[in-house]
Amino acid sequence: MIPPGSTIGIIGGGQLGRMLSVAAAQLGYKTHIYDPHEHSCADDVAAYRTRAAFESVEAMQRFGESVDVATYEFENVPVEPLKVLGDKLSPGVRSLEAAQDRAQEKEFIEKCGGRVAPWRAVASLGDVEETIGQLRIPLVLKTRRYGYDGKGQAWIRSEAEAAEAWSAIGEEPAVAEAGVAFAAEFSVIIARWADGRHVFWDSPENEHRDGILRRSTVPCSHLVAQQVPSARTAALKIAEALGHVGVLTVEFFASAQGPVVNEIAPRVHNSGHWTIEGAVTSQFEQHIRAICDLPPGVTGLIRGHAVMENLIGPEIERWPELVAERGAHVHIYDKGEARPGRKMGHVTRVIR
Ligand code: AMP
């Protein structure tokens, strides 16, 4: 067990790092944020800070020496420099690698017995056109690396859109995947310990707009609930195959053929923010518990239902009205400029 009083290193200083730091502090840990930006929103709630490029092996080494355990809050960190952290890194590099490249991610999910949308790896406009013939439209192109919140994605709804979509994603190596006619979207959030113990939270039903999560609701609808057991089986197989320690999120489409995996996030996730006030133990606290090898916390829904809504871009300007709303739990990330599409905060309502 890594006892309270120890220092937890967090690679990435975004809102997830911020909320992990708050949860760590509650349990008596200090955090050390590693982030390349001059200021990151996790700094304000952390004891220590390293400002360095993720690529710097030297800085990573020093960071590793100053912490008792290290974790990451986003998956686009280059893997090589992290290797200097050795056993201190939790989850390990395998979990990161599995989620960094969309083609490898899909192969891995399929190997674990999970279902994904029909897909092909593409590296040229010719490949894209060939894939249209094989998988039919609609198709979505997604860059293999560095995509998030719908970035690096373009839909192809007619053959004529192929060239435009290929250029929109920057003519980069990508996957072309069939559009899934889903009835709903949901996620499975699991926390796993080194000895294999694991817990799930109730699965949130997720609504997206323009590729960005808008709202998560728990409990999910009956339709989704029917698919949760088989989705949990797939998520657990993925976590076990990775030897994952900490929280892992798997996003699913509820389709007529059953759950289809969209993607894996080897970390706490936006669709789990409701757990801060809606569940007995939040995803953030549980992640700290798992990587420090404290016992698992209870994950049950506190009461009724919980609805989490993101405050995206200028929506953050609604804060005066939201903080005046009785019972609304408002989270403001203090990220500075409210650019369109940027996640600036969220609000959770736990309703009887
Ligand atoms: P992603 O960044 O891959 O999680 O995609 C963001 C959102 O775009 C998803 O949550 C879906 O709403 C939508 N989307 C992505 N891929 C597909 C697909 N193959 N079929 C239907 N909708 C999709």
Side-chain angles (χ1 to χ4, degrees), residues 102 117 140 142 150 153 155 177-180 182 185 208 211 251 253 262-263:
R102 287 194 188 267
V140 56
K142 300 180 179 176
Q153 298 191 11
W155 279 87
E177 65 179 64
V180 176
F182 58 79
E185 293 187 79
H208 293 79
E251 290 185 76
F253 302 118
N262 178 23
E263 61 182 0

mmCIF file of all heavy atoms in Angstrom, residues 102 117 140 142 150 153 155 177-180 182 185 208 211 251 253 262-263, ligand 1:
data_model
loop_
_atom_site.group_PDB
_atom_site.id
_atom_site.type_symbol
_atom_site.label_atom_id
_atom_site.label_comp_id
_atom_site.label_asym_id
_atom_site.label_seq_id
_atom_site.Cartn_x
_atom_site.Cartn_y
_atom_site.Cartn_z
ATOM 1 N N ARG A 102 -5.650 4.052 -33.389
ATOM 2 C CA ARG A 102 -7.002 3.497 -33.548
ATOM 3 C C ARG A 102 -7.012 2.137 -34.252
ATOM 4 O O ARG A 102 -7.890 1.318 -33.978
ATOM 5 C CB ARG A 102 -7.888 4.486 -34.311
ATOM 6 C CG ARG A 102 -8.294 5.701 -33.475
ATOM 7 C CD ARG A 102 -9.420 6.445 -34.174
ATOM 8 N NE ARG A 102 -9.739 7.711 -33.555
ATOM 9 C CZ ARG A 102 -10.682 7.882 -32.616
ATOM 10 N NH1 ARG A 102 -11.380 6.859 -32.172
ATOM 11 N NH2 ARG A 102 -10.928 9.083 -32.132
ATOM 12 N N ALA A 117 -17.079 -1.711 -35.062
ATOM 13 C CA ALA A 117 -17.709 -1.472 -36.363
ATOM 14 C C ALA A 117 -16.754 -1.974 -37.450
ATOM 15 O O ALA A 117 -15.536 -1.898 -37.280
ATOM 16 C CB ALA A 117 -17.952 0.026 -36.533
ATOM 17 N N VAL A 140 -16.990 6.805 -41.449
ATOM 18 C CA VAL A 140 -16.315 7.918 -40.779
ATOM 19 C C VAL A 140 -14.811 7.659 -40.821
ATOM 20 O O VAL A 140 -14.362 6.541 -40.572
ATOM 21 C CB VAL A 140 -16.876 8.162 -39.345
ATOM 22 C CG1 VAL A 140 -16.797 6.936 -38.471
ATOM 23 C CG2 VAL A 140 -16.194 9.341 -38.670
ATOM 24 N N LYS A 142 -11.206 8.477 -39.268
ATOM 25 C CA LYS A 142 -10.635 8.972 -38.009
ATOM 26 C C LYS A 142 -9.125 8.801 -38.090
ATOM 27 O O LYS A 142 -8.649 7.698 -38.397
ATOM 28 C CB LYS A 142 -11.158 8.154 -36.814
ATOM 29 C CG LYS A 142 -12.660 8.182 -36.632
ATOM 30 C CD LYS A 142 -13.083 7.354 -35.424
ATOM 31 C CE LYS A 142 -14.584 7.392 -35.222
ATOM 32 N NZ LYS A 142 -15.035 6.524 -34.111
ATOM 33 N N GLY A 150 -14.081 14.313 -31.294
ATOM 34 C CA GLY A 150 -14.523 14.488 -32.682
ATOM 35 C C GLY A 150 -13.482 15.165 -33.569
ATOM 36 O O GLY A 150 -13.713 15.346 -34.767
ATOM 37 N N GLN A 153 -11.700 13.815 -37.335
ATOM 38 C CA GLN A 153 -12.740 12.922 -37.873
ATOM 39 C C GLN A 153 -13.503 13.609 -38.984
ATOM 40 O O GLN A 153 -13.730 14.809 -38.923
ATOM 41 C CB GLN A 153 -13.751 12.551 -36.792
ATOM 42 C CG GLN A 153 -13.133 11.789 -35.650
ATOM 43 C CD GLN A 153 -14.167 11.191 -34.721
ATOM 44 O OE1 GLN A 153 -15.353 11.172 -35.026
ATOM 45 N NE2 GLN A 153 -13.710 10.693 -33.598
ATOM 46 N N TRP A 155 -16.913 12.651 -41.760
ATOM 47 C CA TRP A 155 -17.894 11.681 -42.263
ATOM 48 C C TRP A 155 -17.921 11.690 -43.788
ATOM 49 O O TRP A 155 -17.741 12.732 -44.418
ATOM 50 C CB TRP A 155 -19.289 12.027 -41.723
ATOM 51 C CG TRP A 155 -19.470 11.523 -40.328
ATOM 52 C CD1 TRP A 155 -19.136 12.170 -39.176
ATOM 53 C CD2 TRP A 155 -19.999 10.249 -39.945
ATOM 54 N NE1 TRP A 155 -19.427 11.378 -38.093
ATOM 55 C CE2 TRP A 155 -19.951 10.199 -38.530
ATOM 56 C CE3 TRP A 155 -20.497 9.142 -40.642
ATOM 57 C CZ2 TRP A 155 -20.402 9.087 -37.812
ATOM 58 C CZ3 TRP A 155 -20.947 8.042 -39.925
ATOM 59 C CH2 TRP A 155 -20.899 8.011 -38.536
ATOM 60 N N GLU A 177 -14.215 3.679 -40.772
ATOM 61 C CA GLU A 177 -15.107 2.718 -40.131
ATOM 62 C C GLU A 177 -16.552 2.973 -40.527
ATOM 63 O O GLU A 177 -16.952 4.106 -40.797
ATOM 64 C CB GLU A 177 -14.925 2.693 -38.605
ATOM 65 C CG GLU A 177 -15.311 3.965 -37.894
ATOM 66 C CD GLU A 177 -15.137 3.871 -36.377
ATOM 67 O OE1 GLU A 177 -13.988 3.718 -35.912
ATOM 68 O OE2 GLU A 177 -16.151 3.972 -35.660
ATOM 69 N N ALA A 178 -17.300 1.868 -40.582
ATOM 70 C CA ALA A 178 -18.701 1.955 -40.972
ATOM 71 C C ALA A 178 -19.479 2.725 -39.924
ATOM 72 O O ALA A 178 -19.229 2.570 -38.724
ATOM 73 C CB ALA A 178 -19.272 0.546 -41.117
ATOM 74 N N GLY A 179 -20.404 3.565 -40.351
ATOM 75 C CA GLY A 179 -21.306 4.240 -39.420
ATOM 76 C C GLY A 179 -22.176 3.191 -38.741
ATOM 77 O O GLY A 179 -22.710 2.300 -39.408
ATOM 78 N N VAL A 180 -22.279 3.257 -37.429
ATOM 79 C CA VAL A 180 -23.100 2.297 -36.684
ATOM 80 C C VAL A 180 -24.472 2.939 -36.472
ATOM 81 O O VAL A 180 -24.560 4.063 -35.968
ATOM 82 C CB VAL A 180 -22.456 1.974 -35.309
ATOM 83 C CG1 VAL A 180 -23.344 1.049 -34.491
ATOM 84 C CG2 VAL A 180 -21.066 1.387 -35.506
ATOM 85 N N PHE A 182 -26.776 3.195 -34.261
ATOM 86 C CA PHE A 182 -26.980 2.839 -32.856
ATOM 87 C C PHE A 182 -28.275 3.430 -32.309
ATOM 88 O O PHE A 182 -28.740 4.472 -32.769
ATOM 89 C CB PHE A 182 -25.786 3.265 -32.003
ATOM 90 C CG PHE A 182 -25.454 4.740 -32.044
ATOM 91 C CD1 PHE A 182 -26.176 5.645 -31.297
ATOM 92 C CD2 PHE A 182 -24.395 5.207 -32.818
ATOM 93 C CE1 PHE A 182 -25.854 6.998 -31.317
ATOM 94 C CE2 PHE A 182 -24.067 6.558 -32.851
ATOM 95 C CZ PHE A 182 -24.808 7.458 -32.102
ATOM 96 N N GLU A 185 -25.818 5.463 -26.941
ATOM 97 C CA GLU A 185 -24.408 5.279 -26.600
ATOM 98 C C GLU A 185 -24.291 5.156 -25.087
ATOM 99 O O GLU A 185 -25.062 5.777 -24.348
ATOM 100 C CB GLU A 185 -23.569 6.470 -27.078
ATOM 101 C CG GLU A 185 -23.491 6.567 -28.593
ATOM 102 C CD GLU A 185 -22.524 7.659 -29.045
ATOM 103 O OE1 GLU A 185 -21.300 7.430 -29.033
ATOM 104 O OE2 GLU A 185 -23.003 8.744 -29.396
ATOM 105 N N HIS A 208 -23.980 12.617 -27.366
ATOM 106 C CA HIS A 208 -22.927 13.442 -27.956
ATOM 107 C C HIS A 208 -23.527 14.433 -28.943
ATOM 108 O O HIS A 208 -24.566 14.166 -29.539
ATOM 109 C CB HIS A 208 -21.918 12.578 -28.733
ATOM 110 C CG HIS A 208 -21.105 11.677 -27.865
ATOM 111 N ND1 HIS A 208 -21.591 10.496 -27.369
ATOM 112 C CD2 HIS A 208 -19.840 11.789 -27.399
ATOM 113 C CE1 HIS A 208 -20.648 9.915 -26.628
ATOM 114 N NE2 HIS A 208 -19.589 10.673 -26.631
ATOM 115 N N GLY A 211 -19.585 15.216 -32.001
ATOM 116 C CA GLY A 211 -18.473 14.389 -31.534
ATOM 117 C C GLY A 211 -18.059 14.651 -30.096
ATOM 118 O O GLY A 211 -17.112 14.039 -29.600
ATOM 119 N N GLU A 251 -16.130 2.877 -24.284
ATOM 120 C CA GLU A 251 -17.331 3.498 -24.847
ATOM 121 C C GLU A 251 -17.983 2.537 -25.841
ATOM 122 O O GLU A 251 -17.283 1.932 -26.656
ATOM 123 C CB GLU A 251 -16.961 4.792 -25.569
ATOM 124 C CG GLU A 251 -16.527 5.897 -24.631
ATOM 125 C CD GLU A 251 -16.284 7.188 -25.406
ATOM 126 O OE1 GLU A 251 -17.265 7.849 -25.791
ATOM 127 O OE2 GLU A 251 -15.116 7.511 -25.631
ATOM 128 N N PHE A 253 -21.542 1.576 -28.482
ATOM 129 C CA PHE A 253 -22.800 1.860 -29.168
ATOM 130 C C PHE A 253 -23.747 0.708 -28.823
ATOM 131 O O PHE A 253 -23.331 -0.457 -28.902
ATOM 132 C CB PHE A 253 -22.627 1.861 -30.693
ATOM 133 C CG PHE A 253 -21.614 2.858 -31.198
ATOM 134 C CD1 PHE A 253 -20.480 2.433 -31.882
ATOM 135 C CD2 PHE A 253 -21.808 4.219 -31.015
ATOM 136 C CE1 PHE A 253 -19.548 3.352 -32.364
ATOM 137 C CE2 PHE A 253 -20.884 5.146 -31.496
ATOM 138 C CZ PHE A 253 -19.755 4.713 -32.174
ATOM 139 N N ASN A 262 -16.779 1.443 -29.268
ATOM 140 C CA ASN A 262 -16.293 2.594 -30.027
ATOM 141 C C ASN A 262 -14.826 2.818 -29.715
ATOM 142 O O ASN A 262 -13.979 2.737 -30.589
ATOM 143 C CB ASN A 262 -17.130 3.841 -29.723
ATOM 144 C CG ASN A 262 -16.616 5.064 -30.463
ATOM 145 O OD1 ASN A 262 -15.936 4.941 -31.494
ATOM 146 N ND2 ASN A 262 -16.902 6.236 -29.952
ATOM 147 N N GLU A 263 -14.511 3.075 -28.450
ATOM 148 C CA GLU A 263 -13.094 3.232 -28.118
ATOM 149 C C GLU A 263 -12.819 2.980 -26.647
ATOM 150 O O GLU A 263 -13.732 2.944 -25.824
ATOM 151 C CB GLU A 263 -12.569 4.602 -28.559
ATOM 152 C CG GLU A 263 -13.254 5.772 -27.901
ATOM 153 C CD GLU A 263 -12.713 7.114 -28.421
ATOM 154 O OE1 GLU A 263 -11.816 7.138 -29.277
ATOM 155 O OE2 GLU A 263 -13.203 8.147 -27.929
HETATM 156 P P1 AMP B 1 -15.057 9.188 -30.992
HETATM 157 O O1 AMP B 1 -14.175 10.406 -30.917
HETATM 158 O O2 AMP B 1 -14.512 8.092 -31.817
HETATM 159 O O3 AMP B 1 -15.486 8.747 -29.615
HETATM 160 O O4 AMP B 1 -16.409 9.675 -31.697
HETATM 161 C C1 AMP B 1 -17.190 10.697 -31.148
HETATM 162 C C2 AMP B 1 -18.658 10.450 -31.427
HETATM 163 O O5 AMP B 1 -18.918 10.415 -32.843
HETATM 164 C C3 AMP B 1 -19.194 9.133 -30.910
HETATM 165 O O6 AMP B 1 -19.484 9.162 -29.546
HETATM 166 C C4 AMP B 1 -20.432 8.970 -31.787
HETATM 167 O O7 AMP B 1 -21.479 9.799 -31.355
HETATM 168 C C5 AMP B 1 -19.927 9.446 -33.137
HETATM 169 N N1 AMP B 1 -19.336 8.307 -33.875
HETATM 170 C C6 AMP B 1 -18.022 7.963 -33.907
HETATM 171 N N2 AMP B 1 -17.834 6.853 -34.649
HETATM 172 C C7 AMP B 1 -19.046 6.453 -35.096
HETATM 173 C C8 AMP B 1 -19.510 5.362 -35.896
HETATM 174 N N3 AMP B 1 -18.691 4.438 -36.411
HETATM 175 N N4 AMP B 1 -20.842 5.288 -36.126
HETATM 176 C C9 AMP B 1 -21.705 6.189 -35.614
HETATM 177 N N5 AMP B 1 -21.327 7.248 -34.860
HETATM 178 C C10 AMP B 1 -20.019 7.396 -34.591
#
